[in-house]
Amino acid sequence: MWIHPYFQQISEFAGFRDDCGPNANEMCLACVQRRVPSTVRMNLIRQRDIENNLFSSGSGQTALQLYLDVKKFETSVDVELWPNPVNYDFPNHDALMDKLRDSLNRQYVCVLNVGNASALPGNEKSIYWHFVAVAGIDGDTFYVGNGDEFPQDLKPNWMSRKNLIDAYPVALIIYKNDTSAQNSQNVAIGLILIVAMFFLLSLTFSVF
């Protein structure tokens, strides 16, 4: 079993009711950037996408538009859209779920685009096209953050492969890593090693 240590669920209802794309995007960005997700940042993502024709108020965005948001505004994040192009009419659900499983087993996090969100356990009813974040796996069971959960308890839920297939999955946006976050970690590790080295040297000289 694996769950990304920074994965937290946030509600998409923070002033708007069409925020599922920015909501799932922000949950995954927070994971790779090693920070707490924020509804403030979620709404900023929504606004920048509106200004750049990547989001339509009231109807949301496509998987391609969400992917292009990350490519344009989060340039240090290694991200992949799969499949590309997206086949909305005849998606291969099993191939997509296999790709989701393999990505999570590599400890990547993913946004999953579905066409029948009402089939997701706990989802608000009468919702069809939707995005959720997935950042954990246990065999063929997936740890899903759903901003449209009702009632919203702000806790991700485990969902089976069948749960997700019933929701008509069509696309994945795969977040592999953030090079700036990795570089920051490397700097921190380097500083720790330097401090440790000077400490050991001070001990050595104190002996003499």
Side-chain angles (χ1 to χ4, degrees):
M1 184 179 76
W2 173 78
I3 297 173
H4 196 287
Y6 284 87
F7 189 43
Q8 295 182 34
Q9 181 170 303
I10 57 174
S11 173
E12 71 174 84
F13 306 127
F16 305 97
R17 297 192 64 84
D18 58 0
D19 254 7
C20 66
N23 174 265
N25 191 359
E26 168 61 5
M27 282 191 272
C28 285
L29 285 172
C31 286
V32 296
Q33 293 169 352
R34 301 171 189 175
R35 57 175 177 79
V36 176
S38 161
T39 55
V40 173
R41 281 184 55 93
M42 174 186 75
N43 285 336
L44 289 173
I45 291 171
R46 180 184 188 274
Q47 185 58 39
R48 76 189 184 191
D49 285 352
I50 289 174
E51 292 170 357
N52 287 272
N53 298 315
L54 297 174
F55 188 100
S56 298
S57 181
S59 57
Q61 61 191 159
T62 65
L64 176 61
Q65 288 174 318
L66 196 158
Y67 164 76
L68 291 175
D69 166 86
V70 182
K71 294 292 287 185
K72 181 177 180 65
F73 297 106
E74 309 288 345
T75 55
S76 61
V77 175
D78 184 6
V79 66
E80 175 187 359
L81 172 64
W82 197 94
N84 190 5
V86 177
N87 185 340
Y88 290 96
D89 295 323
F90 302 102
N92 187 329
H93 298 315
D94 282 322
L96 195 138
M97 293 306 301
D98 289 345
K99 182 71 171 180
L100 175 62
R101 181 196 61 210
D102 293 345
S103 298
L104 293 165
N105 281 331
R106 294 186 177 195
Q107 300 190 357
Y108 301 153
V109 295
C110 301
V111 168
L112 177 65
N113 188 196
V114 301
N116 183 27
S118 295
L120 295 170
N123 199 89
E124 186 181 14
K125 298 307 177 186
S126 301
I127 302 297
Y128 298 97
W129 292 106
H130 187 46
F131 293 98
V132 295
V134 190
I137 187 167
D138 187 2
D140 251 356
T141 306
F142 303 89
Y143 202 47
V144 179
N146 184 3
D148 194 35
E149 187 180 48
F150 185 80
Q152 180 66 253
D153 63 4
L154 301 180
K155 295 179 181 177
N157 291 288
W158 289 102
M159 298 187 190
S160 69
R161 183 185 180 103
K162 183 180 184 303
N163 289 150
L164 297 183
I165 288 178
D166 287 346
Y168 194 83
V170 296
L172 288 174
I173 298 93
I174 305 164
Y175 300 65
K176 299 179 180 180
N177 57 56
D178 185 313
T179 55
S180 64
Q182 184 64 53
N183 290 339
S184 296
Q185 183 186 50
N186 290 341
V187 169
I189 292 172
L191 289 172
I192 291 170
L193 290 173
I194 290 170
V195 170
M197 181 182 68
F198 276 108
F199 177 72
L200 290 173
L201 285 172
S202 67
L203 289 178
T204 302
F205 284 114
S206 67
V207 171
F208 294 100

